[in-house]
Amino acid sequence: MMGSRQVAQGALFYEFSLEDHVPQDHLIRAIDRFVDLDGIRQHLAPFYSSTGRPSVDPELMIRMLLIGYCFGIRSERRICEEVHLNLAYRWFCRLDLNTAVPDHSTFSKNRHGRFRDSDLLREVFETVVRRCITEGLVGGRDFATDASLIRADAGKMYSMSQEFWQGGQIDEETAPRAVREYLETLDEAAFGAASEVRPKFVSCSDPASQWTAAMNAPAIFAYSTNYLIDTDNAVIVDVEASRSIRQAEVGATRTMIDRANDRFDLQPERLAADTAYGSAEMLAWLDERQITQHIPVFDKTERADGTFPNTAFSFDPVADEYTCPGGRKLKKYWRDIGKERPAYGPDGFRRYYASKADCGTCELKARCTPNQDIRRISRHRHEAVRDKVRAFAGTDAYLESTRRRKKVEMLFAHLKRILRLGRLRLRGPNGAKDEFLLAATAQNLRKLAKLIPGGPQTA
C-alpha cells in the first residue's frame, strides 16, 4: 500500500537539541575535545578598544576557520554557508539555530588587523602542540624536517623579468598589501636575505613568491611550507613559511629548531632530512647543538669520469696533510712560509697540493689527475663534521631515521590532497604564514582525534 504524500506543516513550538543531532562518532566531536581557546581573549585584549560596539566573538571566528581547514573548505564565504547549514558545524561553533553566522568579510578585517598584530594563529597552533606533548604524542628525541612547494595566488601573465623590477621606486602608501609585505621582508633570512641570486621573473601581484619548479614540473610562483615534526607520531612541532629556495628552507629549519627549544623546551637528539640540508654550514650548526645529523652530505667531490674522488684520500689532522691512494703526500705548502697566512680562504676552503715529481712518476696518475700536472684537494673548514656525518650512513639508526623521514612527505600529501591546500588563497608572506599555520593546526587536531580515544563529547 502506497503511503500518503508528506506535506510539511509549520508548528508553533519545536523541541530541538543540536546535541542530539550530531553523531557521537562524528570527527567534529573528536576534534572538539582538543580545541582549547580559553586564552585567546586575554591574548587579544590589548588589541581591542574599551569603548564602542561589541565585535564578533574571536573564538567563533577561530572555530569557523578550523572547520574550514580541517575539512578542506578553502573559501571563507563557503565556510559561512556550511556553518549556516551544517548542524555539526553549528554545534562545534557553539551556535544555536537562531544565531546568525558572521559575514565572510569579518575574517579579512580581523586577519589583516588584530590576528596578525597579535600573532594569534601561532598562539593557537602552539596551544595544540602543547596538548600533543601533554597527551604523550611527542617523544622529543627523533625529529625530521622538509619543505614542500605550495602554489601562490599569482600567474606568469602578470609578472615581469627581474631587470624591469624596480623595487626602490614603489610607493609604499599606494602599493597593494602583498607588495608592502614584500618590501618589509627584504632583510629576513627566510625571504629577501636568503640569497643574492634574483629570480628570473617577479610577480606583480605577489612579489615575495618565488618563480621556481619542482622536478619534472612546469615553473610556477610558489612559497615553501617548512615542517619540523616529531617522528614518533608525525606531530608537527613547528611550521614556517619561506621562499622556495634551498638557502631559505635551511634557514627556516634553524629558526624552527631554536623556536621549539624556546617555546616547548624540545631539543632533538637526532634530525633526519634530505641532501638539501646536508651543507657543511648546516651540519656544523647542528653539531654545535649536539644534534646527531642523519642527513646525506651535500657533496660535489664525486667525479663522473671514474677518477679518484676526494674521499679516496685519507687525511691526517696531526700532520695536516692528505695521503693519496698511491701513498704520496698532499700538503698546503712544499716550502717554508715566513709570513703567516689565513688558515682558510675567503670561500672557507683550504687547498692541498701534491708534488709535481710525485704525480709525474705515479702509476695511478691516469686514474687520479689525467688532465692536470698535479692533484689538488680543497678541504672545507667543517670537513671534520662532514666526515663524522658520512660515518653515520648505513648504520641501523641512520636507516631507521631515513624510514621515519617519509612521514614528512605523508603530511605534505595529506595537506594537498585531503586538506586541499594545493594553492594559496592569500597573498604575501603574511598570507602564506596564516594559511600554513592554520593547516598545520588542523593536521595536529586530526592527529589527536585519531590517536587519543575518548568518550562522548558535549558542548
Side-chain angles (χ1 to χ4, degrees):
M1 178 178 178
M2 183 180 297
S4 60
R5 183 186 300 275
Q6 298 294 322
V7 179
Q9 296 181 353
L12 293 177
F13 303 100
Y14 288 95
E15 183 177 349
F16 187 89
S17 173
L18 282 175
E19 182 69 34
D20 298 335
H21 287 77
V22 180
Q24 295 296 327
D25 59 349
H26 198 289
L27 177 61
I28 199 70
R29 284 188 178 271
I31 290 175
D32 186 70
R33 293 186 291 126
F34 304 103
V35 177
D36 181 11
L37 302 177
D38 293 339
I40 69 171
R41 289 181 174 276
Q42 182 180 359
H43 185 80
L44 287 172
F47 299 89
Y48 281 88
S49 173
S50 59
T51 60
R53 189 175 60 180
S55 68
V56 177
D57 185 3
E59 180 178 347
L60 171 60
M61 287 188 285
I62 294 298
R63 286 184 174 272
M64 292 179 67
L65 288 173
L66 290 178
I67 286 175
Y69 281 83
C70 283
F71 295 94
I73 306 173
R74 299 288 296 119
S75 168
E76 290 168 357
R77 188 188 298 268
R78 179 71 183 277
I79 291 174
C80 295
E81 294 175 355
E82 291 293 330
V83 172
H84 176 72
L85 297 172
N86 193 304
L87 296 180
Y89 294 166
R90 277 186 172 270
W91 174 87
F92 180 78
C93 293
R94 313 298 192 254
L95 297 175
D96 58 32
L97 293 179
N98 297 323
T99 306
V101 178
D103 188 77
H104 64 89
S105 62
T106 307
F107 293 95
S108 297
K109 294 178 181 178
N110 284 273
R111 182 177 59 243
H112 297 312
R114 300 183 185 95
F115 288 3
R116 286 182 182 171
D117 294 340
S118 64
D119 207 8
L120 176 64
L121 298 182
R122 176 159 291 279
E123 178 69 19
V124 173
F125 167 76
E126 292 179 353
T127 300
V128 176
V129 174
R130 291 188 185 95
R131 184 62 183 271
C132 293
I133 297 173
T134 303
E135 297 291 345
L137 299 184
V138 178
R141 298 181 59 188
D142 296 279
F143 279 19
T145 186
D146 205 351
S148 182
L149 295 181
I150 303 295
R151 190 185 187 106
D153 186 24
K156 173 70 182 316
M157 295 298 294
Y158 192 48
S159 65
M160 62 181 65
S161 60
Q162 178 64 42
E163 59 183 355
F164 293 108
W165 178 260
Q166 301 294 334
Q169 299 180 3
I170 299 177
D171 185 1
E172 297 188 25
E173 295 183 358
T174 60
R177 180 182 292 105
V179 177
R180 296 198 304 269
E181 292 179 3
Y182 161 74
L183 297 176
E184 293 172 358
T185 58
L186 291 177
D187 296 329
E188 292 188 11
F191 289 96
S195 173
E196 296 180 356
V197 179
R198 297 306 172 193
K200 185 176 181 181
F201 295 102
V202 176
S203 170
C204 298
S205 57
D206 193 355
S209 60
Q210 180 77 23
W211 178 254
T212 185
M215 185 176 297
N216 300 324
I220 57 173
F221 286 106
Y223 288 93
S224 283
T225 177
N226 300 269
Y227 278 4
L228 180 68
I229 73 165
D230 183 276
T231 57
D232 286 357
N233 292 288
V235 172
I236 304 171
V237 177
D238 205 349
V239 57
E240 184 76 7
S242 71
R243 287 178 62 191
S244 299
I245 57 174
R246 183 178 63 85
Q247 298 91 327
E249 294 167 358
V250 172
T253 296
R254 296 185 182 185
T255 300
M256 292 188 294
I257 291 176
D258 286 341
R259 188 161 52 206
N261 191 9
D262 295 337
R263 304 288 177 87
F264 312 116
D265 195 23
L266 291 177
Q267 175 76 1
E269 295 181 7
R270 291 172 289 272
L271 179 69
D274 58 25
T275 312
Y277 302 84
S279 63
E281 290 79 7
M282 182 62 180
L283 298 177
W285 186 86
L286 293 171
D287 193 64
E288 292 176 358
R289 284 154 179 76
Q290 299 181 350
I291 301 175
T292 303
Q293 314 94 324
H294 287 172
I295 304 173
V297 177
F298 186 77
D299 193 355
K300 295 184 178 181
T301 60
E302 296 294 330
R303 299 192 171 192
D305 56 0
T307 57
F308 295 133
N310 287 1
T311 53
F313 294 71
S314 60
F315 181 71
D316 183 357
V318 177
D320 193 17
E321 62 185 18
Y322 276 93
T323 301
C324 73
R328 313 298 176 88
K329 303 297 182 182
L330 286 82
K331 301 181 180 181
K332 289 176 56 179
Y333 310 109
W334 283 92
R335 57 185 178 84
D336 295 333
I337 302 297
K339 183 179 180 181
E340 184 177 356
R341 299 182 181 180
Y344 295 91
D347 57 354
F349 284 89
R350 178 188 295 169
R351 271 76 182 181
Y352 295 82
Y353 305 90
S355 170
K356 187 174 182 180
D358 291 339
C359 286
T361 59
C362 182
E363 299 177 354
L364 301 176
K365 186 176 186 304
R367 296 182 56 192
C368 182
T369 175
N371 301 322
Q372 300 291 334
D373 294 336
I374 60 174
R375 178 62 185 261
R376 301 175 179 85
I377 290 183
S378 298
R379 182 178 179 84
H380 196 272
R381 65 172 69 248
H382 300 306
E383 194 66 29
V385 177
R386 287 156 56 97
D387 290 339
K388 183 172 72 172
V389 175
R390 289 188 184 101
F392 295 149
T395 62
D396 293 340
Y398 182 91
L399 296 177
E400 174 66 14
S401 296
T402 302
R403 182 188 66 82
R404 287 177 170 231
R405 185 174 61 84
K406 297 178 181 178
K407 295 181 180 182
V408 190
E409 301 293 344
M410 295 171 64
L411 285 171
F412 289 144
H414 180 269
L415 176 71
K416 296 177 180 180
R417 293 179 179 272
I418 305 302
L419 303 189
R420 301 179 183 178
L421 191 63
R423 177 169 181 157
L424 296 174
R425 292 186 63 253
L426 307 180
R427 292 176 176 173
N430 288 330
K433 293 175 184 177
D434 290 350
E435 294 217 53
F436 295 160
L437 281 169
L438 283 168
T441 303
Q443 288 182 291
N444 280 344
L445 285 172
R446 291 174 66 109
K447 181 74 65 176
L448 282 165
K450 176 182 178 181
L451 297 182
I452 307 297
Q457 176 76 4
T458 61

